[in-house]
Amino acid sequence: MTVALCCSAPPALAETRPSNIVLIIADDLGVGDVRYLRSGPFATPNLDRLSRESTLFTNAYVTAAVCSPSRAGLHTGRYQARFGHDFNPGSASDQAEMSLPPGVPTIAGRLQRAGYFTGLIGKWHLEGRRAGASPLERGFEYYFGFASGGSYILNPKEGDLLLRTEGEPLERTRSQGFSRMGSPVEIDDYKTDVLNREALSFLARADSEDRPFFLVLAHHAPHVPLEATKAYVDRVAHIADPRKRAYAAMVTALDDSVGAVLRDIDRRGLRDDTLVLFVSDNGCPPYIAEVCSNAPFNGHKRDLGEGGIRTPFLIRWPKGWKAPRTYSQPVISLDLGATILGAAGLEDQVKDFDGVDLRAPVRNPSTPAHDALYWRAGTDFAIRKGDWKLIEVDLPAGGRKTFLFNLRRDPSETRDLAGSNPGKAEELRAQWNRWNAGNTPSRMTGRVTTTRIAGVEVVARY
C-alpha cells in the first residue's frame, strides 16, 4: 500500500544540511526480550544488527513505568513532572488532562520550526479532549496513527491466525481510531505491518524533499492484546506455549520493521547522514509476565522497580557519533531529545531540557552523564544517584515504605538496605524533595494497583 503524503514545506534550512533523524519506539518491550541484551527463546536479528552498529547503553531508563507519561517526557525532553503529567488517564477528567499543556514545546515542534520535514507514524497517547493536542498541532507535519490502544489484526483476511489469552476465535474488527492527517481511516492489515509501510512511504517522500527529516515510528507492538497473523506465528512455531508464541510473533513483526527501515535508509544512501535511535516506552507488564521478560531485573510496567523503567537504548550515527561500543553510565530517555536537537544543530534550544546531549558524555565513559535521575508517580517516587536507588511508596494497609538498593551489587533489587543505611536514604530523599519542589502537582489521578518490591507488597500508582 503506497500512500501519497501531502504537506506544505516550511522555510528552507541553512546551506549546511543537518542530519536526518529516525526515532523508533517500541511499546512495553522488556529488556529481556531482545537478543542483543539477553539470550531468549526467539530471535531479533534486526535489533541485533542495529546494536552492532550502535552504541549500547547498558544502564538506560525511561521517565515513567507507563506509556503516556513516558511519552510526555520523551517528546519534550523534560521530566513530565515539570508539567504535572504523572499518569496514564484513569478517569474522564484524566482524559482531558492527557493533552500536553500548550506552553510545553515538543522536540518535533522545534525541528519543524528549523525546517525539518517531521512525521509521526503510530502511537501518540498524548491527545486528550482539549484543542491543540493532535500531533499535527504539536510539531508533526505528517501524521498517520492512533491515540492509543486497539487490536492488531484489523479486518483480517482468510487464513489469518489470531492468538489471544483465552484462545477465542478470530473476530473481524474495525480500525480502532486510525487517523491520517486528522481524518479517520480504515486499514485492512496487521497493525505492525501497516505502520511499517507508512514509515517507508514517509521515507520515500522525505528522500525527495530538499530538507532533512525527523521520523518517529511509534509501534504499538508488543503491547497487548496478544495477536499475530499466521505469517509471523509460523516463524516461531518452535515455541510450544500459544501465548508465548503469539508474543514472540509480535516481537518478530516489530524486529522486521526495524530491519525494513534500516535497509531503506541504506538503499537511499542515507546511512551515514541519519541518526537512528531505538527505545521502549517502559518495561513489559505484570499481566503477561509469563510470556515477556524484564530479566535480570525485578519489577514491571506500572511500578518503579528496575524492570518497569529500564529500556533497550541504542544510538547509531555514523557521521556524527564518535563513541565507544558501550556506555555503562546511567542515561534516560530525556537524553534522546537533547541528542536529537544537538544533531540538528539546535544546541541552543536544550537549555531548558532535563536531558543531556550524549555526544560529549559517551566520549568520557568514566564520567556520569547525570548527577541523579528522578521518577514521580503521584506520591510514589524514586531517585537513582550513582550506584544507589531509593524508592518510596505507600503500603496497602496504610503508611509509607522506603527501600534503598545498591544497584551495582544488587541489580535485581532483592536486598533492602534502608534500615542499615538510614543516612544514605535520607540524603537521597532530601535531594528528590529539592528536585520536586520546582515541579507541578499531577494534573491526573491515575489508577492504583499493588506490586511487590523486595518481597514486600506495596501500592503502585500509574
Side-chain angles (χ1 to χ4, degrees):
M1 178 170 62
T2 302
V3 180
L5 313 182
C6 37
C7 318
S8 58
L13 287 157
E15 195 170 313
T16 302
R17 176 169 165 153
S19 291
N20 306 307
I21 302 158
V22 175
L23 170 61
I24 304 174
I25 308 171
D27 198 344
D28 291 6
L29 180 68
V31 291
D33 286 324
V34 289
R35 184 66 65 87
Y36 83 85
L37 286 174
R38 174 179 174 269
S39 179
F42 52 89
T44 51
N46 296 296
L47 283 170
D48 293 351
R49 174 208 161 176
L50 181 59
S51 74
R52 290 191 299 269
E53 299 171 351
S54 302
T55 295
L56 309 182
F57 293 83
T58 59
N59 251 308
Y61 293 90
V62 286
T63 59
V66 286
C67 305
S68 186
S70 177
R71 291 164 194 270
L74 182 57
H75 281 290
T76 63
R78 301 177 63 199
Y79 281 111
Q80 62 276 4
R82 303 295 193 199
F83 44 91
H85 197 117
D86 287 29
F87 301 114
N88 274 353
S91 65
S93 61
D94 281 2
Q95 289 287 341
E97 296 296 345
M98 185 170 61
S99 307
L100 290 175
V104 178
T106 63
I107 307 300
R110 296 171 193 259
L111 291 170
Q112 185 182 40
R113 286 191 295 274
Y116 269 74
F117 177 37
T118 58
L120 171 63
I121 309 297
K123 183 173 178 177
W124 178 230
H125 211 181
L126 294 170
E127 185 172 353
R129 297 169 184 165
R130 295 189 190 281
S134 84
L136 296 171
E137 298 166 294
R138 301 314 307 257
F140 289 102
E141 190 174 339
Y142 180 76
Y143 170 57
F144 174 88
F146 47 93
S148 66
S151 295
Y152 286 84
I153 302 178
L154 303 165
N155 300 321
K157 301 177 179 63
E158 190 69 28
D160 283 343
L161 175 66
L162 173 63
L163 293 172
R164 287 181 174 166
T165 303
E166 296 82 15
E168 65 265 32
L170 177 65
E171 296 178 0
R172 295 185 178 272
T173 59
R174 302 298 285 170
S175 67
Q176 304 278 346
F178 271 83
S179 165
R180 177 179 285 114
M181 299 298 291
S183 298
V185 294
E186 296 293 329
I187 67 172
D188 59 359
D189 205 348
Y190 192 53
K191 180 187 288 186
T192 306
D193 293 344
V194 169
L195 297 181
N196 181 61
R197 287 198 298 270
E198 288 284 337
L200 297 181
S201 180
F202 178 90
L203 290 173
R205 164 66 189 270
D207 196 21
S208 68
E209 294 274 334
D210 189 23
R211 51 187 171 137
F213 60 82
F214 174 51
L215 168 63
V216 177
L217 174 53
H219 274 294
H220 191 209
H223 192 291
V224 295
L226 298 179
E227 297 181 356
T229 52
K230 186 177 188 301
Y232 289 112
V233 172
D234 285 350
R235 288 166 58 184
V236 290
H238 64 283
I239 299 175
D241 182 274
R243 298 186 76 225
K244 291 181 180 180
R245 191 164 61 244
Y247 184 80
M250 295 170 73
V251 178
T252 297
L254 169 68
D255 185 75
D256 275 8
S257 177
V258 171
V261 169
L262 294 179
R263 287 190 298 274
D264 197 64
I265 290 170
D266 291 351
R267 182 178 64 82
R268 297 180 186 282
L270 302 174
R271 183 181 186 278
D272 287 348
D273 249 356
T274 301
L275 171 65
V276 177
L277 314 100
F278 179 84
V279 71
S280 178
D281 62 348
N282 44 251
C284 80
Y287 39 86
I288 56 168
E290 75 279 13
V291 306
C292 65
S293 175
N294 295 319
F297 307 111
N298 286 324
H300 291 88
K301 176 181 180 177
R302 298 180 176 177
D303 71 62
L304 297 176
E306 292 287 282
I309 53 179
R310 287 272 195 154
T311 179
F313 195 105
L314 297 168
I315 298 179
R316 187 188 81 172
W317 190 19
K319 175 183 176 181
W321 192 252
K322 310 300 181 190
R325 179 80 173 83
T326 62
Y327 183 76
S328 60
Q329 299 288 349
V331 297
I332 198 162
S333 51
L334 304 172
D335 300 333
L336 296 178
T339 305
I340 285 168
L341 291 188
L346 302 175
E347 295 93 338
D348 60 325
Q349 296 197 28
V350 302
K351 294 175 183 176
D352 62 337
F353 275 32
D354 293 305
V356 301
D357 184 343
L358 291 172
R359 288 178 297 171
V362 295
R363 296 190 187 106
N364 299 285
S366 63
T367 303
H370 297 268
D371 172 62
L373 301 177
Y374 305 90
W375 293 267
R376 191 187 78 180
T379 56
D380 297 352
F381 69 83
I383 174 174
R384 175 170 181 175
K385 184 172 185 177
D387 294 332
W388 293 95
K389 180 180 174 186
L390 178 87
I391 303 175
E392 189 164 301
V393 292
D394 288 336
L395 294 170
R400 300 277 285 172
K401 172 65 177 173
T402 298
F403 297 90
L404 179 69
F405 302 104
N406 186 300
L407 296 178
R408 181 171 59 83
R409 298 171 186 165
D410 180 25
S412 296
E413 297 173 308
T414 60
R415 298 186 296 276
D416 176 20
L417 303 176
S420 58
N421 290 268
K424 175 60 70 173
E426 182 51 41
E427 171 196 331
L428 294 177
R429 183 185 298 108
Q431 181 165 345
W432 187 90
N433 283 332
R434 289 192 297 272
W435 168 80
N436 191 50
N439 293 331
T440 299
S442 178
R443 308 186 327 269
M444 294 178 279
T445 57
R447 299 179 176 92
V448 177
T449 187
T450 59
T451 188
R452 299 189 76 82
I453 299 176
V456 178
E457 186 179 22
V458 299
V459 170
R461 291 179 169 80
Y462 67 100

